[in-house]
Amino acid sequence: MLGLINRSFQFFLIDTWGVEAWETVAAELALPFAGFEAMLTYDDAALDKLVDASSAHLHRPRDSLMEDLGTYLVAHERQATVRRLLRFSGANFCDFLASIEEMPDRGRLVLPELDLPFLVLTDLGAGAFRLTCHSPIRGAGHVIMGLLRAMADDYGALVLLDHLGQEGGADVISIQIADLEHYAARPFSFGLTA
Amino acid sequence: MNKPLSRAILPLTTEALDHLMPLNLRLDSGGRIMALGPTLARLLPQPVVGRSFFTLFDLRRSSALTGVEDLMSHSGLRLRLTLRPEFRSPGLRPIPFRGMAIPLADRSGLVVNLSFGLGVVDAIRQYGLTDNDFAPTDLALEMMYLVEANTAAMDALRGSAMRLQGDKQMAEAQAMTDTLTGLRNRRALAQALERLSRGTAPFGLMHIDLDFFKEVNDTMGHAAGDHVLRRVAELLMQETRAEDTVARVGGDEFVAVFPDLVDPGRLDAIARRVIEVLSRPIPFEGKTCRISASIGITTSTAYHVTDITQMEQDADEALYASKRAGRGRATFHPGAAQAAQPSAPERRSPQG
């Protein structure tokens, strides 16, 4: 797995829970304090261990930690790039959702080794959708849910999200768009230099 | 007779055309602009309907295309064009459009479609374009996405490279440094000598061995010994120049290398000074440690061909001559000593 993903979790810990939380978990796992290098490849188990150890240290359920990671990736200042790149997918939350299946391809366009979750969206009508998420990362569906929640906020949409558990090895998320323009969207311009 | 023709003609509203191709222009048979797509209209600082296509655009690398007849007869030709300066907002870089002109079926005019080509990133930035300005089939925003994502990936890569570079430099510095004294180690010395032996500048080599250090270690303990070694390192740094290399090469053995310094008088003065400062009492935890130093010196000018091993051996021999002669003194290797007097012993009798 590309270190970029592990590094995201590392900075999620640092920015949300403080550098001490990261250092405690890193020490426990015998990781260097400098952490993961974004462009190096790590064993798939490394992220799992990191999430488990963080969950134990912070007394937070694993799933909720993963969901917070998804929100962090969109909403936190340090991850401004992620949010910008996601906003390229559509002019409103509906457009964004319609092109969400492209996400892994968009990732691979830039980093061929970046293995983002494989997503399948089903339109159930009346603003209701069902999203399935396949990924080797345990709890990836919860990350996607947190990410969707934060993107809905970003677009100013009122959206109800629910994790329906697993089906055939994939996480299933239900999405109900209640109001596409409920709040003011966060400003975004394509031309802004990142 | 009309049937096949009517099937070949597409009844398309101009609104639909503008939607499909927001950067299109419709020209009449005289090359005058009749209408233009909404995105193209956004780029232009003034209305252009009724003006000639050729006043608006500069057709680059296509000197053959000077009039509308040429566009009519070269249907589908790949065009490269830029807006003429008077149709660009001041201060903006010209965007290199690509385009294609297709005559209408009845030859009453032409449709010209444009695209930003590789200028799309500039265009989006300069004109603040949004997804509404492009047809959904256009990959303009994907280009923008790629540029931004690529920049982010490069930044991440650069960050990684810089961290790794920092680690490498630290590891190298550690690999070249004697951890106790902070002086250079044997490896660093070997590199410095190797560099000097390949260059043309002459250099002096001084082998320094502490006298009575074993006694300090034995009677006052290793902590005192370590303290003395660190103090010796400080003093050696003090008595040498920034360009000199001072290395700890054994328990209480040091080597100093002096680039561009082979004058026996000056080397002898440095050696005396080193012996003098090292012979001063070194306080440690309320007690006093006393050592001195014996030195052997040679210079690269004493050899026809610079031979590092030979030089180190000769400096070592000269050092043992100093030891045999009663310690606390410096001796030149005979070849290097031509102009030098052996340094007179100037010694106190150290204790400890």
Side-chain angles (χ1 to χ4, degrees):
Chain A
M1 183 184 303
L2 203 58
L4 186 65
I5 294 180
N6 307 33
R7 194 170 168 81
S8 303
F9 192 89
Q10 173 189 340
F11 278 101
F12 159 66
L13 278 188
I14 292 172
D15 292 334
T16 313
W17 301 89
V19 72
E20 302 77 20
W22 157 249
E23 287 181 354
T24 309
V25 173
E28 192 183 312
L29 297 175
L31 294 169
F33 284 172
F36 297 94
E37 278 302 337
M39 295 299 160
L40 297 184
T41 314
Y42 294 85
D43 193 78
D44 278 4
L47 181 66
D48 247 8
K49 285 188 203 153
L50 178 59
V51 178
D52 285 338
S54 307
S55 162
H57 173 66
L58 300 168
H59 307 289
R60 295 272 299 178
R62 197 179 199 285
D63 292 347
S64 95
L65 218 50
M66 289 303 251
E67 190 176 330
D68 289 349
L69 168 66
T71 306
Y72 163 83
L73 287 175
V74 175
H76 196 274
E77 188 54 32
R78 193 198 290 272
Q79 306 294 345
T81 310
V82 177
R83 179 232 168 206
R84 275 193 61 77
L85 293 179
L86 287 169
R87 282 288 297 254
F88 272 96
S89 300
N92 57 43
F93 186 73
C94 217
D95 279 1
F96 170 76
L97 210 53
S99 60
I100 199 163
E101 291 181 355
E102 289 179 0
M103 194 195 276
D105 286 333
R106 282 180 174 269
R108 262 192 297 275
L109 263 182
V110 191
L111 299 171
E113 285 177 80
L114 186 62
D115 213 357
L116 294 177
F118 176 72
L119 302 169
V120 179
L121 185 78
T122 315
D123 190 341
L124 305 175
F129 299 85
R130 183 189 139 94
L131 184 70
T132 58
C133 166
H134 298 259
S135 168
I137 300 171
R138 196 150 60 88
H142 292 275
V143 180
I144 295 294
M145 198 161 90
L147 189 137
L148 288 174
R149 209 182 284 292
M151 283 310 286
D153 280 354
D154 213 271
Y155 281 114
L158 181 63
V159 176
L160 305 173
L161 294 161
D162 200 4
H163 194 282
L164 302 179
Q166 289 229 324
E167 204 173 277
D171 286 317
V172 182
I173 299 167
S174 86
I175 302 162
Q176 176 68 53
I177 301 178
D179 184 356
L180 215 46
E181 292 171 26
H182 196 73
Y183 320 98
R186 264 172 78 191
F188 175 76
S189 117
F190 289 104
L192 189 94
T193 10
Chain B
M1 280 312 267
N2 260 349
K3 254 188 178 173
L5 184 66
S6 68
R7 236 186 280 152
I9 290 177
L10 182 67
L12 188 71
T13 64
T14 51
E15 288 80 6
L17 185 69
D18 283 346
H19 215 71
L20 274 171
M21 306 174 180
L23 287 170
N24 83 84
L25 298 115
R26 271 96 72 195
L27 313 182
D28 69 9
S29 56
R32 270 188 305 276
I33 297 165
M34 309 299 291
L36 68 169
T39 303
L40 192 54
R42 272 195 66 175
L43 308 188
L44 297 167
Q46 47 172 295
V48 295
V49 171
R51 308 192 69 149
S52 160
F53 177 72
F54 293 92
T55 20
L56 191 59
F57 287 102
D58 180 17
L59 271 74
R60 301 155 78 211
R61 281 179 250 161
S62 37
S63 49
L65 299 173
T66 50
V68 68
E69 313 75 36
D70 301 321
L71 291 179
M72 283 280 194
S73 55
H74 292 89
S75 168
L77 194 70
R78 179 182 283 247
L79 307 176
R80 295 163 178 282
L81 54 176
T82 51
L83 284 168
R84 291 187 189 277
E86 55 272 36
F87 296 101
R88 297 201 296 258
S89 302
L92 296 189
R93 263 190 290 164
I95 291 169
F97 290 97
R98 356 174 124 172
M100 184 163 84
I102 300 281
L104 296 179
D106 61 4
R107 313 204 51 95
S108 64
L110 298 129
V111 175
V112 183
N113 192 27
L114 302 180
S115 120
F116 290 117
L118 289 177
V120 65
V121 173
D122 277 347
I124 291 173
R125 289 192 177 143
Q126 288 178 9
Y127 296 105
L129 302 179
T130 71
D131 33 7
N132 293 326
D133 295 311
F134 295 96
T137 47
D138 197 318
L139 291 178
L141 295 181
E142 276 71 15
M143 277 282 284
M144 205 64 200
Y145 162 85
L146 262 183
V147 167
E148 219 171 297
N150 192 43
T151 308
M154 287 305 287
D155 284 350
L157 204 56
R158 201 174 300 115
S160 274
M162 277 171 65
R163 280 190 294 277
L164 295 177
Q165 174 76 358
D167 290 351
K168 180 167 163 271
Q169 279 172 354
M170 198 189 285
E172 272 174 3
Q174 280 166 356
M176 300 290 234
T177 306
D178 171 51
T179 44
L180 176 66
T181 60
L183 293 177
R184 316 258 72 190
N185 62 13
R186 195 178 269 285
R187 234 182 87 161
L189 173 70
Q191 270 192 20
L193 287 173
E194 176 65 29
R195 240 190 340 266
L196 283 167
S197 73
R198 272 195 254 122
T200 50
F203 58 96
L205 181 73
M206 209 177 263
H207 195 164
I208 305 156
D209 188 273
L210 301 186
D211 300 326
F212 315 111
F213 177 73
K214 191 173 179 307
E215 286 84 335
V216 171
N217 236 350
D218 289 350
T219 60
M220 299 177 66
H222 286 294
D226 287 353
H227 175 75
V228 166
L229 290 172
R230 277 192 286 263
R231 182 71 190 133
V232 166
E234 276 170 33
L235 294 168
L236 288 176
M237 290 309 285
Q238 232 170 66
E239 299 306 325
T240 52
R241 306 165 304 174
E243 63 265 38
D244 302 335
T245 298
V246 182
R248 178 169 171 240
V249 296
D252 58 350
E253 281 181 64
F254 301 82
V255 169
V257 182
F258 303 89
D260 270 320
L261 177 47
V262 289
D263 174 58
R266 281 187 63 199
L267 284 170
D268 187 53
I270 292 170
R272 285 174 189 234
R273 173 83 188 146
V274 165
I275 293 166
E276 197 248 310
V277 298
L278 293 189
S279 303
R280 291 176 191 162
I282 299 172
F284 177 72
E285 289 179 355
K287 293 184 212 156
T288 303
C289 311
R290 282 180 177 278
I291 57 161
S292 180
S294 298
I295 297 178
I297 307 169
T298 190
T299 57
S300 62
T301 43
Y303 307 82
H304 289 299
V305 179
T306 311
D307 178 346
I308 297 297
T309 318
Q310 188 61 48
M311 282 183 74
E312 285 186 294
Q313 213 171 310
D314 291 346
D316 198 47
E317 258 173 41
L319 163 68
Y320 279 92
S322 295
K323 289 264 187 201
R324 279 194 304 275
R327 298 174 172 172
R329 68 188 67 213
T331 309
F332 277 82
H333 170 66
Q338 249 71 305
Q341 300 295 316
S343 74
E346 217 187 72
R347 56 176 311 223
R348 287 141 291 271
S349 63
Q351 294 153 12

